């Protein structure tokens, strides 16, 4: 497992019974997590003494029950020198996936050791955790997401991290269409990151199903990689899509053309009870600088 175990401002206190108990900075949140199927809650007092608790609705979605009236609607947490603005949203998320920190470290090491200018394309880039990390390591980044509000949030994270003067483009667009246009324009990238959803629609209603569309997107991305590519990272939270699938995609689409190295595994976060919480999978392709 790729384990994100270097956090100071975030930690999982417990996970059990389809929920997890997390500190985001100094605020303790209780959120659903269906992967925590085991039942073991020794510290029941802490589970009931939270700042906010997200309740799912039987009609879909859900809402936060806030117990701490002094908890702000938004606050900041740090990962090393990176600063992120987090806030509880109506979809249970806070605007950051902390398990991705292990991948931020990976891309940062590759970029920092390349000793040359690196251009990175971040697709389905959400609020820009990987964008911030790549910029901090010295890369130029193109950040692409279909949601305008999410791209604005990413800009705030870049500025909060003191990286507002770095070379970054923010694009509100469908990832598949954008990659095809970049190919026609003759633009190329040394590193490509993607975090595609299981299912979704682009800003103009474009339909995305990961099982049907992932390989085509990766193949299109290969066409816009530079002559000396550095890495490709694929993240997935789709149930039933294994790390072996990501390995096979990378082997047939990327390794076949560029050689290099491939690895894939679960990503996760340690729980203070001594367990590890799995949080999806990542497939990595890279080539030594």
């Amino acid at each position: 497992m790729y384990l994100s175990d270097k956090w100071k401002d975030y930690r999982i206190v417990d996970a059990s019974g389809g929920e997890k108990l997390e500190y985001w900075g100094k605020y303790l949140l209780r959120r659903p997590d269906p992967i925590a199927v085991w039942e073991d809650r020794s510290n029941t007092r802490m589970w009931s003494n939270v700042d906010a608790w997200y309740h799912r609705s039987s009609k879909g979605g859900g809402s936060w029950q806030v117990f701490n009236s002094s908890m702000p609607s938004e606050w900041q947490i740090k990962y090393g020198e990176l600063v992120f603005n987090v806030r509880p949203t109506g979809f249970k998320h806070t605007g950051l996936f902390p398990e991705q920190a292990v991948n931020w470290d990976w891309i940062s090491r590759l970029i920092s050791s390349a000793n040359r200018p690196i251009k990175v394309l971040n697709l389905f880039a959400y609020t820009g955790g990987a964008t911030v990390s790549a910029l901090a390591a010295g890369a130029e980044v193109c950040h692409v997401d279909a949601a305008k509000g999410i791209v604005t949030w990413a800009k705030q994270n870049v500025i909060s991290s003191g990286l507002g003067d770095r070379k970054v483009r923010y694009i509100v667009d469908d990832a598949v269409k954008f990659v095809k246009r970049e190919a026609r324009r003759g633009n190329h990238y040394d590193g490509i990151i993607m975090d595609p959803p299981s299912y979704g629609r682009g800003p103009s209603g474009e339909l995305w199903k990961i099982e049907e569309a992932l390989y085509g997107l990766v193949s299109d991305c290969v066409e816009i990689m530079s002559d000396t590519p550095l890495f490709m990272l694929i993240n997935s939270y789709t149930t039933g899509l294994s790390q072996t699938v990501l390995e096979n995609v990378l082997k047939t689409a990327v390794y076949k053309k560029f050689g290099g190295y491939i690895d894939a595994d679960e990503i996760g976060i340690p729980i203070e009870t001594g367990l590890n919480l799995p949080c999806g999978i990542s497939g990595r392709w890279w080539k030594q600088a």
Side-chain angles (χ1 to χ4, degrees):
M1 177 179 282
Y2 303 139
L3 204 59
S4 292
D5 56 2
K6 295 181 174 61
W7 278 98
K8 305 296 183 185
D9 279 5
Y10 171 85
R11 54 195 176 100
I12 300 180
V13 179
D14 200 358
S16 172
E19 292 183 296
K20 57 187 173 184
L21 201 58
E22 315 156 287
Y23 269 108
W24 293 81
K26 65 180 181 179
Y27 300 107
L28 185 61
L29 305 185
R30 180 173 174 175
R31 293 194 294 160
D33 196 318
I35 205 67
V37 299
W38 53 92
E39 297 282 353
D40 181 16
R41 295 185 181 180
S42 55
N43 193 341
T44 54
R45 180 177 175 275
M46 182 167 280
W47 279 94
S48 60
N49 191 29
V50 297
D51 294 296
W53 183 1
Y54 185 88
H55 299 279
R56 289 193 184 278
S57 169
S58 59
K59 299 178 180 179
S63 61
W64 287 92
Q65 182 180 11
V66 178
F67 300 98
N68 181 358
S69 60
S70 64
M71 187 182 81
S73 59
E74 181 175 315
W75 64 95
Q76 293 183 335
I77 65 172
K78 295 181 69 176
Y79 182 73
E81 297 302 313
L82 310 182
V83 179
F84 299 102
N85 300 280
V86 299
R87 60 176 178 263
T89 71
F91 299 98
K92 87 169 182 177
H93 298 300
T94 63
L96 194 67
F97 291 93
E99 64 272 12
Q100 288 295 331
V102 68
N103 284 325
W104 304 340
D105 291 341
W106 180 71
I107 64 173
S108 179
R109 288 193 299 270
L110 287 170
I111 294 167
S112 298
S113 62
N115 296 317
R116 59 184 172 94
I118 298 296
K119 286 181 63 177
V120 172
L121 175 61
N122 190 8
L123 301 170
F124 310 97
Y126 196 49
T127 59
T131 294
V132 172
S133 179
L135 288 172
E140 175 183 345
V141 180
C142 181
H143 176 107
V144 182
D145 197 277
K148 184 177 180 180
I150 292 297
V151 173
T152 299
W153 197 337
K155 291 180 184 179
Q156 294 170 347
N157 286 333
V158 169
I159 293 169
S160 295
S161 295
L163 302 169
D165 60 341
R166 302 295 175 94
K167 290 184 178 180
V168 55
R169 284 196 301 157
Y170 301 100
I171 307 293
V172 179
D173 202 352
D174 173 73
V176 174
K177 288 185 175 181
F178 178 79
V179 169
K180 290 183 181 296
R181 281 200 301 272
E182 288 293 87
R184 293 194 295 268
R185 294 167 182 147
N187 290 335
H188 295 90
Y189 297 88
D190 305 294
I192 297 180
I193 302 161
M194 65 179 74
D195 197 346
S198 302
Y199 177 90
R201 291 190 180 273
S204 300
E206 302 88 349
L207 180 63
W208 167 274
K209 292 182 179 179
I210 193 168
E211 296 88 351
E212 299 175 2
L214 178 62
Y215 191 79
L217 175 60
V218 173
S219 297
D220 287 343
C221 284
V222 168
E223 298 305 310
I224 62 170
M225 296 184 84
S226 69
D227 293 335
T228 54
L230 187 61
F231 69 87
M232 181 181 286
L233 172 66
I234 306 173
N235 294 305
S236 174
Y237 293 88
T238 302
T239 303
L241 198 67
S242 71
Q243 55 258 42
T244 301
V245 171
L246 296 189
E247 284 182 355
N248 292 344
V249 168
L250 290 169
K251 283 178 181 177
T252 54
V254 189
Y255 179 86
K256 188 174 181 180
K257 180 173 182 179
F258 295 114
Y261 305 89
I262 291 172
D263 194 20
D265 208 340
E266 290 182 295
I267 54 173
I269 303 176
I271 309 170
E272 292 187 353
T273 57
L275 305 177
N276 292 324
L277 183 69
C279 305
I281 57 175
S282 291
R284 299 171 172 180
W285 172 89
W286 72 100
K287 204 162 186 179
Q288 297 292 1

